[in-house]
Amino acid sequence: PRDHLDDVLKPLAQSAGVEALDFQMLRRTCATYFRQDVKSAQAQLRHATPTTTAGVYQQTISADHRAAVEALDAEFTGRATTKKVVVLQPRRAQ
């Protein structure tokens, strides 16, 4: 898995403007996509409890933030977008 991350996923992320990509960011993105279904996210990420999934991995993306990202995407591409947008963010220090 590390080779795939380094050889394939990191170069793709860098070409999209995401400078740092790691497995934790991918796991948080997965959990965030499953935000309405914590049990499925828990199963996918193989957590012992849904509390870990919801409390540590799921990220909240506000409607304002989502709209801003979609507007920026529309400006860059010249077209409106209806796809889901997930913003990868490094984990905040606690």
Side-chain angles (χ1 to χ4, degrees):
R2 176 63 60 186
D3 289 342
H4 188 72
L5 177 70
D6 291 336
D7 296 343
V8 177
L9 297 178
K10 283 185 178 182
L12 286 172
Q14 288 174 344
S15 70
V18 177
E19 292 300 318
L21 181 71
D22 60 25
F23 282 116
Q24 290 299 100
M25 291 173 73
L26 295 172
R27 291 175 65 82
R28 281 191 302 280
T29 299
C30 176
T32 301
Y33 264 118
F34 280 105
R35 68 185 167 275
Q36 300 300 323
D37 187 357
V38 176
K39 291 298 282 184
S40 292
Q42 173 194 357
Q44 182 68 32
L45 298 173
R46 300 177 68 186
H47 291 149
T49 67
T51 305
T52 299
T53 306
V56 176
Y57 285 87
Q58 285 186 327
Q59 304 290 309
T60 300
I61 301 172
S62 71
D64 290 342
H65 191 163
R66 183 177 305 276
V69 170
E70 289 175 352
L72 185 61
D73 181 63
E75 185 175 326
F76 284 151
T77 63
R79 65 185 188 287
T81 181
T82 58
K83 62 186 171 194
K84 292 182 179 178
V85 175
V86 172
V87 179
L88 296 174
Q89 299 175 350
R91 185 177 177 106
R92 292 180 287 284
Q94 296 181 2

